Amino acid sequence: MSAAAEGLVEFGAGDLHVVVAAAVPSALGLYRRHAELAEDFPDVDVDVDADAGFVFVAVGDHRDWPGLVVTQRYAPAGAGFNPGVLIVPKRRQVFIGAGTRLLAYEARSGAWRRSWEDRADFGFWQWRRHGSVVLMSAELELAAWTTDGTKLWTRAVEPPWSYRVEGGRVVLDVMGAVCSFGIMTG
């Protein structure tokens, strides 16, 4: 079965090769067996009747098998709560967000390791990179990390909200109240 038939999305990011899927790939056992680091997060933070999503992320450096494999069930899922992956190739840093779980991995010294695990208030929306800063949007939170995975700040928000970055400043609009602050300082 081809990668496309299984719903796998593959792309390159610098010297890294990334594979992402919203369903369990048929070769999951092989991916895990060949990985330097394979992590599975089967739990979700909602009751058992809730609709949960699944995400598979594998990252490597164009060898036969990726060195990092992460699988996760997550909630909330759908309706704007899709998983997201941001790769910083030069730093060999990977940010993964799904449901309320945020993960970061790095492979600077050759081997993959988890840098940290964090939570997104209510549900993850997306990652966006702005120069040396990575911003994470969630239903009730805007947060920032450096591209090496160091957390800078977090801000509570409530919908409807949006932001834009202009000249090193974040312009945040929360329910019509607009404020501006430095992207590095929050």
Side-chain angles (χ1 to χ4, degrees):
M1 183 176 289
S2 74
E6 281 203 76
L8 296 173
V9 175
E10 299 185 52
F11 61 94
D15 67 341
L16 297 176
H17 179 250
V18 184
V19 181
V20 179
V24 178
S26 60
L28 180 58
L30 290 170
Y31 276 104
R32 286 181 175 155
R33 195 169 322 129
H34 288 88
E36 297 164 11
L37 175 60
E39 293 199 304
D40 180 41
F41 299 91
D43 59 317
V44 292
D45 292 337
V46 296
D47 61 58
V48 293
D49 296 326
D51 290 328
F54 175 85
V55 65
F56 164 85
V57 179
V59 183
D61 53 7
H62 299 285
R63 294 183 202 157
D64 289 339
W65 293 97
L68 172 66
V69 173
V70 179
T71 54
Q72 176 179 332
R73 286 186 52 76
Y74 65 92
F81 296 104
N82 298 309
V85 178
L86 186 135
I87 308 292
V88 183
K90 219 175 204 182
R91 299 260 187 198
R92 300 183 65 80
Q93 184 78 37
V94 178
F95 295 85
I96 301 171
T100 58
R101 182 176 287 116
L102 306 173
L103 300 163
Y105 295 89
E106 65 180 354
R108 284 191 205 91
S109 59
W112 286 99
R113 71 175 191 87
R114 183 173 358 133
S115 307
W116 49 259
E117 180 176 352
D118 204 342
R119 315 268 327 141
D121 285 345
F122 190 75
F124 169 83
W125 285 354
Q126 67 183 352
W127 299 106
R128 282 194 184 158
R129 182 173 174 191
H130 300 275
S132 63
V133 176
V134 174
L135 294 180
M136 185 280 307
S137 303
E139 181 80 3
L140 301 175
E141 178 182 11
L142 177 63
W145 285 264
T146 61
T147 54
D148 71 0
T150 303
K151 191 163 191 176
L152 296 172
W153 52 264
T154 187
R155 285 213 175 205
V157 294
E158 58 183 284
W161 72 273
S162 64
Y163 80 91
R164 66 185 184 279
V165 175
E166 295 177 349
R169 297 191 63 76
V170 175
V171 179
L172 178 62
D173 180 339
V174 179
M175 298 173 46
V178 179
C179 66
S180 174
F181 49 89
I183 194 167
M184 295 296 290
T185 58

